[in-house]
Amino acid sequence: MTIIQNITSHLSVKKAGIAGAGGLGSNVAAALVRSGVGHLVIADYDIVTKPNLNRQFFFADQEGQSKVDALRENLLHINPKADVEAHFCKITALNAGSLFGSCDVVIEAFDCADEKKWFAEWMIAHYPAKPLIMGSGIAGYGSPETLRVQRSGNLYICGDQRETNEKLVPLLAPRVIMVAMMQADLALELLLQEKPL
Amino acid sequence: MTITLNNRIETFSPQEMSITQIMDEKSFHFKMLIVKLNGTLIPRESWPLTVVRDGDRLDIIHLVSGG
């Protein structure tokens, strides 16, 4: 087996959870499916709108579709054999365990800071051993060197962690996707940890 | 005391400080923070009363909207 086949075969039995299918979640999902991660659980309660298309992994003809269904469709275009569980729902304390309890790694990809905080605290309380990869601080453009990863036990935070005024500093593809790729790259690092190369 | 703050070694002149005092000194004044002391999540209401000592590991994470 070549190294890439070895990596792909190791990832094919792994399961990644993605909480949110916006700019971070949709792009993380694409990178993980391309890398060969076999099982994805994606939950989101939003629909695709035109302003999403400047950074999220959706297409103009998908406007009005639920993000999870549109994303599942796009991911299956990359790999028809990928097992993608799409859940059109808000993630709450009532369903988070059944959604993400069996995942090897969980990606936090919410929009609002208070949802990020709730989810991080819930995961730390209920699944302290499960790696949680968060995104925080992805707005604007320029100075890509300010993007970083903070490691804190099983919690990983990707982004610049800087507060900005949403009205003045918009979300744009390069920075959002860079942070999504940092999350996806860390997910591979964690999923491939025990893999003998 | 010398602690590990966000993976960096930092020295403060007092022997002990509360989490709130460290936040004031290091200017962590954001709304949405996650704080872990030696790996344990510390809720906001406990920050003024939680004592940080020499050798402790403190992680202060800033959560910003956008995803």
Side-chain angles (χ1 to χ4, degrees):
Chain A
M1 255 204 282
T2 64
I3 290 177
I4 191 80
Q5 284 169 334
N6 191 6
I7 287 174
T8 312
S9 103
H10 191 86
L11 292 175
S12 68
V13 295
K14 298 293 184 182
K15 189 172 188 177
I18 303 181
L24 292 174
S26 65
N27 287 300
V28 169
L32 294 183
V33 166
R34 287 188 202 281
S35 305
V37 173
H39 308 273
L40 255 60
V41 178
I42 306 168
D44 191 290
Y45 59 91
D46 205 2
I47 58 164
V48 178
T49 61
K50 197 170 188 150
N52 298 152
L53 301 180
N54 81 334
R55 64 191 187 281
Q56 306 189 11
F57 183 51
F58 301 111
F59 300 96
D61 62 359
Q62 293 179 315
E63 270 179 55
Q65 261 183 270
S66 75
K67 288 187 178 178
V68 287
D69 287 336
L71 182 56
R72 183 169 186 280
E73 191 177 291
N74 297 342
L75 297 172
L76 294 179
H77 276 295
I78 297 171
N79 178 6
K81 289 183 186 158
D83 164 37
V84 181
E85 264 184 52
H87 297 271
F88 183 66
C89 64
K90 192 169 167 66
I91 297 162
T92 68
L94 295 177
N95 63 14
S98 64
L99 288 168
F100 302 120
S102 64
C103 294
D104 299 295
V105 63
V106 177
I107 315 281
E108 176 280 320
F110 289 130
D111 185 16
C112 299
D114 51 357
E115 283 189 331
K116 289 175 186 285
K117 185 171 189 289
W118 167 79
F119 190 62
E121 290 176 350
W122 191 90
M123 286 291 295
I124 292 167
H126 294 86
Y127 294 97
K130 204 181 285 295
L132 176 63
I133 305 175
M134 306 186 69
S136 176
I138 63 172
Y141 58 90
S143 304
E145 65 275 19
T146 56
L147 296 175
R148 62 195 174 93
V149 176
Q150 183 176 348
R151 294 174 186 248
S152 171
N154 283 320
L155 188 63
Y156 302 80
I157 303 90
C158 303
D160 62 28
Q161 293 190 40
R162 288 198 294 205
E163 194 99 68
T164 50
N165 182 336
E166 320 176 12
K167 285 176 191 140
L168 301 175
V169 185
L171 296 166
L172 296 160
R175 213 167 166 81
V176 171
I177 296 172
M178 272 193 282
V179 174
M181 292 308 101
M182 291 167 88
Q183 290 183 289
D185 189 49
L186 259 173
L188 293 196
E189 176 186 321
L190 297 164
L191 293 173
L192 293 170
Q193 240 160 24
E194 334 84 64
K195 193 196 75 65
L197 256 181
Chain B
M1 65 171 185
T2 298
I3 66 166
T4 305
L5 175 61
N6 289 350
N7 297 312
R8 283 192 196 165
I9 305 293
E10 299 257 5
T11 300
F12 297 87
S13 36
Q15 281 309 300
E16 293 182 349
M17 291 169 84
S18 72
I19 289 176
T20 304
Q21 286 170 324
I22 291 176
M23 285 181 170
D24 286 341
E25 184 155 335
K26 299 300 290 181
S27 303
F28 281 100
H29 292 305
F30 303 114
K31 273 186 301 192
M32 229 32 106
L33 294 171
I34 285 189
V35 175
K36 286 167 79 182
L37 180 60
N38 299 319
T40 304
L41 189 71
I42 310 291
R44 182 176 286 265
E45 57 273 19
S46 305
W47 295 347
L49 298 170
T50 304
V51 178
V52 180
R53 297 185 176 84
D54 191 62
D56 281 349
R57 177 193 164 103
L58 182 64
D59 292 315
I60 302 177
I61 294 150
H62 181 207
L63 298 178
V64 189
S65 283

